[in-house]
Amino acid sequence: MKLLVLNGPNLNLLGEREPGIYGTGSMEDCLKTLNEAFPTDEIVYFQSNCEGALIDRLQQARREGIEGVALNAGAYTHTSIALHDCIRSLPFPVVEVHISNVHARESFRHVSMIAAACCGVVCGFGLDSYRLALEGLKLRAGGGQKA
Ligand code: DQA
């Protein structure tokens, strides 16, 4: 499968940013792990701190054969109706991803503007959340439960 891992604001600082919450591993480490875990899949990565750039990247994914997206929209998760609308327009599934357990944190992180547009949510497993999200997309593509 051709899968997109898409990271939003401040996730370019993984490994340096609040390591007590997000750990010390970098996204480069995570992508290496993903490529080892899914050797027959093509994993495309993009990160932006800008909401519009994330939307542009998702719209571009429609034209390049992407079959599923693991999206960590960072703080835009909690605010972006524009991302919600964009996800709803896509012909492939999107999994909402969080490194931390957002439900064990501040109440403003308990709300997701995008979850209802996504096929599922993975949160709280550190960088393994990305791997679990890709597992979910592959399971779904292989005829798993679609509800
Ligand atoms: C995050 C959780 C968000 O609330 C936060 O704004 C982030 C990272 C996570 O991966 O745990 O930037 O999405």
Side-chain angles (χ1 to χ4, degrees), residues 66-90:
I66 295 287
E67 294 169 272
V69 179
L71 170 62
N72 186 346
Y76 290 138
T77 304
H78 315 300
T79 61
S80 182
I81 296 168
L83 267 173
H84 173 109
D85 288 348
C86 176
I87 295 164
R88 285 181 67 109
S89 77
L90 299 172

PDB file of all heavy atoms in Angstrom, residues 66-90:
ATOM      1  N   ILE A  66      -2.393   7.620  -2.917  1.00  0.00           N
ATOM      2  CA  ILE A  66      -2.339   7.330  -1.478  1.00  0.00           C
ATOM      3  C   ILE A  66      -3.599   6.531  -1.105  1.00  0.00           C
ATOM      4  O   ILE A  66      -4.712   6.856  -1.514  1.00  0.00           O
ATOM      5  CB  ILE A  66      -2.259   8.638  -0.654  1.00  0.00           C
ATOM      6  CG1 ILE A  66      -0.942   9.382  -0.930  1.00  0.00           C
ATOM      7  CG2 ILE A  66      -2.467   8.375   0.831  1.00  0.00           C
ATOM      8  CD1 ILE A  66       0.305   8.787  -0.347  1.00  0.00           C
ATOM      9  N   GLU A  67      -3.391   5.475  -0.289  1.00  0.00           N
ATOM     10  CA  GLU A  67      -4.518   4.589   0.062  1.00  0.00           C
ATOM     11  C   GLU A  67      -4.961   4.727   1.510  1.00  0.00           C
ATOM     12  O   GLU A  67      -5.955   4.119   1.923  1.00  0.00           O
ATOM     13  CB  GLU A  67      -4.094   3.149  -0.232  1.00  0.00           C
ATOM     14  CG  GLU A  67      -3.881   2.898  -1.704  1.00  0.00           C
ATOM     15  CD  GLU A  67      -3.211   1.567  -1.957  1.00  0.00           C
ATOM     16  OE1 GLU A  67      -1.964   1.527  -1.949  1.00  0.00           O
ATOM     17  OE2 GLU A  67      -3.935   0.571  -2.129  1.00  0.00           O
ATOM     18  N   GLY A  68      -4.212   5.480   2.302  1.00  0.00           N
ATOM     19  CA  GLY A  68      -4.593   5.704   3.686  1.00  0.00           C
ATOM     20  C   GLY A  68      -3.625   6.678   4.329  1.00  0.00           C
ATOM     21  O   GLY A  68      -2.485   6.813   3.894  1.00  0.00           O
ATOM     22  N   VAL A  69      -4.103   7.362   5.383  1.00  0.00           N
ATOM     23  CA  VAL A  69      -3.288   8.388   6.039  1.00  0.00           C
ATOM     24  C   VAL A  69      -3.322   8.200   7.550  1.00  0.00           C
ATOM     25  O   VAL A  69      -4.383   7.971   8.139  1.00  0.00           O
ATOM     26  CB  VAL A  69      -3.817   9.811   5.699  1.00  0.00           C
ATOM     27  CG1 VAL A  69      -2.980  10.883   6.390  1.00  0.00           C
ATOM     28  CG2 VAL A  69      -3.843  10.049   4.197  1.00  0.00           C
ATOM     29  N   ALA A  70      -2.129   8.268   8.166  1.00  0.00           N
ATOM     30  CA  ALA A  70      -2.021   8.388   9.622  1.00  0.00           C
ATOM     31  C   ALA A  70      -1.756   9.856   9.894  1.00  0.00           C
ATOM     32  O   ALA A  70      -0.689  10.372   9.539  1.00  0.00           O
ATOM     33  CB  ALA A  70      -0.878   7.517  10.146  1.00  0.00           C
ATOM     34  N   LEU A  71      -2.722  10.545  10.467  1.00  0.00           N
ATOM     35  CA  LEU A  71      -2.652  12.003  10.634  1.00  0.00           C
ATOM     36  C   LEU A  71      -2.538  12.389  12.105  1.00  0.00           C
ATOM     37  O   LEU A  71      -3.467  12.163  12.882  1.00  0.00           O
ATOM     38  CB  LEU A  71      -3.917  12.653  10.041  1.00  0.00           C
ATOM     39  CG  LEU A  71      -4.120  14.145  10.335  1.00  0.00           C
ATOM     40  CD1 LEU A  71      -2.997  15.003   9.759  1.00  0.00           C
ATOM     41  CD2 LEU A  71      -5.478  14.613   9.804  1.00  0.00           C
ATOM     42  N   ASN A  72      -1.376  12.942  12.466  1.00  0.00           N
ATOM     43  CA  ASN A  72      -1.260  13.585  13.770  1.00  0.00           C
ATOM     44  C   ASN A  72      -1.333  15.080  13.498  1.00  0.00           C
ATOM     45  O   ASN A  72      -0.341  15.709  13.111  1.00  0.00           O
ATOM     46  CB  ASN A  72       0.054  13.221  14.465  1.00  0.00           C
ATOM     47  CG  ASN A  72       0.095  13.769  15.882  1.00  0.00           C
ATOM     48  OD1 ASN A  72      -0.715  14.623  16.247  1.00  0.00           O
ATOM     49  ND2 ASN A  72       1.028  13.276  16.690  1.00  0.00           N
ATOM     50  N   ALA A  73      -2.511  15.634  13.679  1.00  0.00           N
ATOM     51  CA  ALA A  73      -2.737  17.050  13.358  1.00  0.00           C
ATOM     52  C   ALA A  73      -2.298  17.962  14.499  1.00  0.00           C
ATOM     53  O   ALA A  73      -2.502  19.186  14.416  1.00  0.00           O
ATOM     54  CB  ALA A  73      -4.205  17.270  13.023  1.00  0.00           C
ATOM     55  N   GLY A  74      -1.669  17.386  15.551  1.00  0.00           N
ATOM     56  CA  GLY A  74      -1.217  18.216  16.673  1.00  0.00           C
ATOM     57  C   GLY A  74      -2.382  19.029  17.216  1.00  0.00           C
ATOM     58  O   GLY A  74      -3.515  18.550  17.289  1.00  0.00           O
ATOM     59  N   ALA A  75      -2.109  20.274  17.561  1.00  0.00           N
ATOM     60  CA  ALA A  75      -3.141  21.108  18.180  1.00  0.00           C
ATOM     61  C   ALA A  75      -4.301  21.426  17.226  1.00  0.00           C
ATOM     62  O   ALA A  75      -5.407  21.743  17.678  1.00  0.00           O
ATOM     63  CB  ALA A  75      -2.514  22.397  18.695  1.00  0.00           C
ATOM     64  N   TYR A  76      -4.075  21.316  15.904  1.00  0.00           N
ATOM     65  CA  TYR A  76      -5.183  21.543  14.964  1.00  0.00           C
ATOM     66  C   TYR A  76      -6.288  20.499  15.132  1.00  0.00           C
ATOM     67  O   TYR A  76      -7.425  20.727  14.730  1.00  0.00           O
ATOM     68  CB  TYR A  76      -4.692  21.545  13.516  1.00  0.00           C
ATOM     69  CG  TYR A  76      -3.852  22.753  13.142  1.00  0.00           C
ATOM     70  CD1 TYR A  76      -2.711  22.617  12.371  1.00  0.00           C
ATOM     71  CD2 TYR A  76      -4.214  24.029  13.557  1.00  0.00           C
ATOM     72  CE1 TYR A  76      -1.938  23.711  12.023  1.00  0.00           C
ATOM     73  CE2 TYR A  76      -3.435  25.133  13.218  1.00  0.00           C
ATOM     74  CZ  TYR A  76      -2.305  24.963  12.453  1.00  0.00           C
ATOM     75  OH  TYR A  76      -1.540  26.050  12.113  1.00  0.00           O
ATOM     76  N   THR A  77      -5.940  19.359  15.720  1.00  0.00           N
ATOM     77  CA  THR A  77      -6.942  18.343  16.035  1.00  0.00           C
ATOM     78  C   THR A  77      -8.117  18.967  16.795  1.00  0.00           C
ATOM     79  O   THR A  77      -9.276  18.627  16.555  1.00  0.00           O
ATOM     80  CB  THR A  77      -6.341  17.266  16.975  1.00  0.00           C
ATOM     81  OG1 THR A  77      -5.191  16.726  16.355  1.00  0.00           O
ATOM     82  CG2 THR A  77      -7.340  16.191  17.330  1.00  0.00           C
ATOM     83  N   HIS A  78      -7.766  19.863  17.702  1.00  0.00           N
ATOM     84  CA  HIS A  78      -8.756  20.378  18.647  1.00  0.00           C
ATOM     85  C   HIS A  78      -9.491  21.613  18.129  1.00  0.00           C
ATOM     86  O   HIS A  78     -10.395  22.117  18.793  1.00  0.00           O
ATOM     87  CB  HIS A  78      -8.055  20.700  19.981  1.00  0.00           C
ATOM     88  CG  HIS A  78      -7.107  19.628  20.419  1.00  0.00           C
ATOM     89  ND1 HIS A  78      -7.529  18.333  20.668  1.00  0.00           N
ATOM     90  CD2 HIS A  78      -5.759  19.616  20.593  1.00  0.00           C
ATOM     91  CE1 HIS A  78      -6.472  17.593  21.009  1.00  0.00           C
ATOM     92  NE2 HIS A  78      -5.399  18.345  20.962  1.00  0.00           N
ATOM     93  N   THR A  79      -9.066  22.107  16.964  1.00  0.00           N
ATOM     94  CA  THR A  79      -9.623  23.383  16.484  1.00  0.00           C
ATOM     95  C   THR A  79     -10.111  23.388  15.039  1.00  0.00           C
ATOM     96  O   THR A  79     -10.886  24.274  14.677  1.00  0.00           O
ATOM     97  CB  THR A  79      -8.551  24.499  16.573  1.00  0.00           C
ATOM     98  OG1 THR A  79      -7.437  24.145  15.733  1.00  0.00           O
ATOM     99  CG2 THR A  79      -8.068  24.707  18.009  1.00  0.00           C
ATOM    100  N   SER A  80      -9.636  22.460  14.211  1.00  0.00           N
ATOM    101  CA  SER A  80      -9.747  22.680  12.757  1.00  0.00           C
ATOM    102  C   SER A  80     -10.966  22.029  12.086  1.00  0.00           C
ATOM    103  O   SER A  80     -10.944  20.842  11.722  1.00  0.00           O
ATOM    104  CB  SER A  80      -8.479  22.214  12.055  1.00  0.00           C
ATOM    105  OG  SER A  80      -8.598  22.469  10.667  1.00  0.00           O
ATOM    106  N   ILE A  81     -11.980  22.823  11.869  1.00  0.00           N
ATOM    107  CA  ILE A  81     -13.131  22.371  11.076  1.00  0.00           C
ATOM    108  C   ILE A  81     -12.700  22.223   9.613  1.00  0.00           C
ATOM    109  O   ILE A  81     -13.207  21.358   8.889  1.00  0.00           O
ATOM    110  CB  ILE A  81     -14.297  23.368  11.224  1.00  0.00           C
ATOM    111  CG1 ILE A  81     -14.771  23.388  12.684  1.00  0.00           C
ATOM    112  CG2 ILE A  81     -15.467  22.993  10.316  1.00  0.00           C
ATOM    113  CD1 ILE A  81     -15.711  24.530  13.020  1.00  0.00           C
ATOM    114  N   ALA A  82     -11.728  23.034   9.198  1.00  0.00           N
ATOM    115  CA  ALA A  82     -11.239  22.943   7.816  1.00  0.00           C
ATOM    116  C   ALA A  82     -10.608  21.574   7.555  1.00  0.00           C
ATOM    117  O   ALA A  82     -10.821  20.974   6.494  1.00  0.00           O
ATOM    118  CB  ALA A  82     -10.232  24.062   7.545  1.00  0.00           C
ATOM    119  N   LEU A  83      -9.855  21.052   8.531  1.00  0.00           N
ATOM    120  CA  LEU A  83      -9.285  19.707   8.367  1.00  0.00           C
ATOM    121  C   LEU A  83     -10.395  18.658   8.371  1.00  0.00           C
ATOM    122  O   LEU A  83     -10.342  17.689   7.615  1.00  0.00           O
ATOM    123  CB  LEU A  83      -8.271  19.409   9.477  1.00  0.00           C
ATOM    124  CG  LEU A  83      -6.806  19.736   9.185  1.00  0.00           C
ATOM    125  CD1 LEU A  83      -5.956  19.537  10.435  1.00  0.00           C
ATOM    126  CD2 LEU A  83      -6.267  18.898   8.025  1.00  0.00           C
ATOM    127  N   HIS A  84     -11.376  18.830   9.240  1.00  0.00           N
ATOM    128  CA  HIS A  84     -12.526  17.911   9.268  1.00  0.00           C
ATOM    129  C   HIS A  84     -13.165  17.831   7.876  1.00  0.00           C
ATOM    130  O   HIS A  84     -13.374  16.739   7.336  1.00  0.00           O
ATOM    131  CB  HIS A  84     -13.556  18.392  10.306  1.00  0.00           C
ATOM    132  CG  HIS A  84     -14.838  17.620  10.308  1.00  0.00           C
ATOM    133  ND1 HIS A  84     -15.195  16.757  11.323  1.00  0.00           N
ATOM    134  CD2 HIS A  84     -15.852  17.576   9.398  1.00  0.00           C
ATOM    135  CE1 HIS A  84     -16.365  16.210  11.027  1.00  0.00           C
ATOM    136  NE2 HIS A  84     -16.784  16.692   9.875  1.00  0.00           N
ATOM    137  N   ASP A  85     -13.454  18.999   7.294  1.00  0.00           N
ATOM    138  CA  ASP A  85     -14.101  19.036   5.975  1.00  0.00           C
ATOM    139  C   ASP A  85     -13.221  18.380   4.917  1.00  0.00           C
ATOM    140  O   ASP A  85     -13.711  17.639   4.059  1.00  0.00           O
ATOM    141  CB  ASP A  85     -14.397  20.484   5.560  1.00  0.00           C
ATOM    142  CG  ASP A  85     -15.542  21.093   6.355  1.00  0.00           C
ATOM    143  OD1 ASP A  85     -16.252  20.342   7.061  1.00  0.00           O
ATOM    144  OD2 ASP A  85     -15.714  22.317   6.281  1.00  0.00           O
ATOM    145  N   CYS A  86     -11.924  18.653   4.999  1.00  0.00           N
ATOM    146  CA  CYS A  86     -10.983  18.084   4.028  1.00  0.00           C
ATOM    147  C   CYS A  86     -10.986  16.554   4.129  1.00  0.00           C
ATOM    148  O   CYS A  86     -11.088  15.856   3.115  1.00  0.00           O
ATOM    149  CB  CYS A  86      -9.581  18.638   4.293  1.00  0.00           C
ATOM    150  SG  CYS A  86      -8.343  17.911   3.232  1.00  0.00           S
ATOM    151  N   ILE A  87     -10.893  16.036   5.353  1.00  0.00           N
ATOM    152  CA  ILE A  87     -10.846  14.578   5.549  1.00  0.00           C
ATOM    153  C   ILE A  87     -12.116  13.933   4.986  1.00  0.00           C
ATOM    154  O   ILE A  87     -12.077  12.900   4.330  1.00  0.00           O
ATOM    155  CB  ILE A  87     -10.645  14.238   7.043  1.00  0.00           C
ATOM    156  CG1 ILE A  87      -9.280  14.721   7.519  1.00  0.00           C
ATOM    157  CG2 ILE A  87     -10.804  12.734   7.294  1.00  0.00           C
ATOM    158  CD1 ILE A  87      -9.123  14.794   9.026  1.00  0.00           C
ATOM    159  N   ARG A  88     -13.246  14.586   5.235  1.00  0.00           N
ATOM    160  CA  ARG A  88     -14.520  14.038   4.733  1.00  0.00           C
ATOM    161  C   ARG A  88     -14.574  13.971   3.210  1.00  0.00           C
ATOM    162  O   ARG A  88     -15.320  13.160   2.655  1.00  0.00           O
ATOM    163  CB  ARG A  88     -15.687  14.895   5.242  1.00  0.00           C
ATOM    164  CG  ARG A  88     -15.997  14.647   6.700  1.00  0.00           C
ATOM    165  CD  ARG A  88     -17.165  15.489   7.126  1.00  0.00           C
ATOM    166  NE  ARG A  88     -18.380  15.058   6.458  1.00  0.00           N
ATOM    167  CZ  ARG A  88     -19.381  14.426   7.041  1.00  0.00           C
ATOM    168  NH1 ARG A  88     -19.302  14.129   8.326  1.00  0.00           N
ATOM    169  NH2 ARG A  88     -20.453  14.100   6.374  1.00  0.00           N
ATOM    170  N   SER A  89     -13.790  14.792   2.560  1.00  0.00           N
ATOM    171  CA  SER A  89     -13.825  14.825   1.082  1.00  0.00           C
ATOM    172  C   SER A  89     -12.943  13.741   0.456  1.00  0.00           C
ATOM    173  O   SER A  89     -12.970  13.556  -0.759  1.00  0.00           O
ATOM    174  CB  SER A  89     -13.338  16.197   0.587  1.00  0.00           C
ATOM    175  OG  SER A  89     -11.919  16.280   0.678  1.00  0.00           O
ATOM    176  N   LEU A  90     -12.149  13.053   1.280  1.00  0.00           N
ATOM    177  CA  LEU A  90     -11.150  12.141   0.722  1.00  0.00           C
ATOM    178  C   LEU A  90     -11.730  10.761   0.419  1.00  0.00           C
ATOM    179  O   LEU A  90     -12.585  10.265   1.164  1.00  0.00           O
ATOM    180  CB  LEU A  90      -9.973  11.998   1.705  1.00  0.00           C
ATOM    181  CG  LEU A  90      -9.218  13.302   2.004  1.00  0.00           C
ATOM    182  CD1 LEU A  90      -8.201  13.081   3.121  1.00  0.00           C
ATOM    183  CD2 LEU A  90      -8.543  13.840   0.752  1.00  0.00           C
TER     184      LEU A  90
END
